[in-house]
């Protein structure tokens, strides 16, 4: 069967492109579920409800860069890092879950009348880690990279697309915040803290099982 003509001047094998798209979807979908860009936007709104829009955008950029660089590091070096430190993926899940639970519990017991001032680097923790680059996404990346049917290149492309979706979700969170209003934002903050606590417990439980 002759190759199909390509619009950009070359020739493209249709079966090869279909196979590549299948590999991409096999990598993209698990990462999308693990990173959850829509859920990140809600968490970002809850944590940054008292911040001015300019600082909120800087925090979003900080979170994306942190999560992206950490994910890339683990994609290429994660297996070696775990082996050198003598830890397992389960250990990493327990540690990330404990950090997330402490942050969620701290927000739940804080007074609404006197909201606690967030640190300047809260885009690093918990947004960058362990929400964007957390146990779920890092474990997924390690599994995909070691899968001979997918490989590092496809996993890298799937990660880049998911990070692009995170950029869009955080960028338009300001618009969503204006539609919801102050009272709605405070309600979202407490609901998100409960969800974060539940996610943290799930991380710890999965880590113990592993």
């Amino acid at each position: 069967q002759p190759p199909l003509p390509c619009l950009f001047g070359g020739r493209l094998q249709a079966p090869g492109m279909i196979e590549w798209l299948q590999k991409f979807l096999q990598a993209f979908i698990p990462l999308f579920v693990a990173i959850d860009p829509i859920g990140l936007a809600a968490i970002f709104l809850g944590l940054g409800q008292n911040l001015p829009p300019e600082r909120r955008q800087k925090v979003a950029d900080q979170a994306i860069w942190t999560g992206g660089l950490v994910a890339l590091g683990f994609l290429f070096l994660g297996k070696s890092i775990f082996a050198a430190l003598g830890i397992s993926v389960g250990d990493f899940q327990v540690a990330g879950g404990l950090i997330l639970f402490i942050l969620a519990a701290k927000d739940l017991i804080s007074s609404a009348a006197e909201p606690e001032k967030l640190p300047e680097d809260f885009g690093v923790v918990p947004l960058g880690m362990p929400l964007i680059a957390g146990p779920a996404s890092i474990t997924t990346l390690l599994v995909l990279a070691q899968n001979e049917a997918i490989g590092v290149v496809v996993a890298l492309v799937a990660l880049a697309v998911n990070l692009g979706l995170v950029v869009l979700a955080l960028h338009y969170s300001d618009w969503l915040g204006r539609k919801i209003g102050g009272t709605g934002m405070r309600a979202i903050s407490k609901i998100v803290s409960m969800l974060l606590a539940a996610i943290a417990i799930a991380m710890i439980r999965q880590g113990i099982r592993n």
Side-chain angles (χ1 to χ4, degrees):
Q1 182 180 359
L4 297 177
C6 179
L7 295 177
F8 300 101
R11 288 187 175 274
L12 181 65
Q13 293 286 350
M17 175 59 72
I18 293 174
E19 181 182 359
W20 193 92
L21 288 175
Q22 289 175 343
K23 292 180 180 180
F24 171 77
L25 290 176
Q26 289 174 357
F28 171 81
I29 293 174
L31 279 176
F32 180 83
V33 173
I35 296 175
D36 188 12
I38 298 174
L40 277 173
I43 293 172
F44 179 62
L45 282 173
L47 293 176
Q49 60 176 317
N50 297 313
L51 299 179
E54 296 80 8
R55 186 186 165 195
R56 205 158 48 231
Q57 196 57 49
K58 290 181 180 179
V59 169
D61 294 338
Q62 185 183 47
I64 293 164
W65 277 106
T66 300
L69 291 175
V70 170
L72 282 175
F74 275 98
L75 175 61
F76 293 105
L77 302 173
K79 189 176 180 180
S80 301
I81 292 174
F82 285 177
L85 296 177
I87 63 176
S88 65
V89 174
D91 298 330
F92 189 79
Q93 287 177 307
V94 172
L98 286 173
I99 294 172
L100 205 57
F101 182 81
I102 291 171
L103 292 169
K106 196 174 182 181
D107 183 70
L108 282 171
I109 64 177
S110 63
S111 172
E114 296 180 0
E116 183 180 358
K117 184 178 179 181
L118 288 170
E120 293 288 336
D121 61 349
F122 91 94
V124 176
V125 177
L127 286 180
M129 301 179 300
L131 291 176
I132 295 178
S137 58
I138 288 174
T139 303
T140 302
L141 276 174
L142 291 176
V143 171
L144 292 173
Q146 296 172 18
N147 188 336
E148 295 181 358
I150 296 176
V152 175
V153 175
V154 177
L156 180 61
V157 174
L159 174 64
V161 174
N162 273 288
L163 289 177
L165 294 177
V166 171
V167 171
L168 292 176
L170 298 187
H171 176 75
Y172 286 103
S173 63
D174 285 342
W175 175 84
L176 182 60
R178 289 194 297 269
K179 294 295 182 182
I180 293 175
T183 302
M185 294 292 288
R186 285 191 293 271
I188 288 176
S189 176
K190 298 304 177 183
I191 293 172
V192 165
S193 295
M194 286 294 297
L195 293 176
L196 284 176
I199 291 171
I201 295 299
M203 285 183 182
I204 295 172
R205 185 179 67 249
Q206 292 171 3
I208 293 174
R209 286 179 179 175
N210 291 335

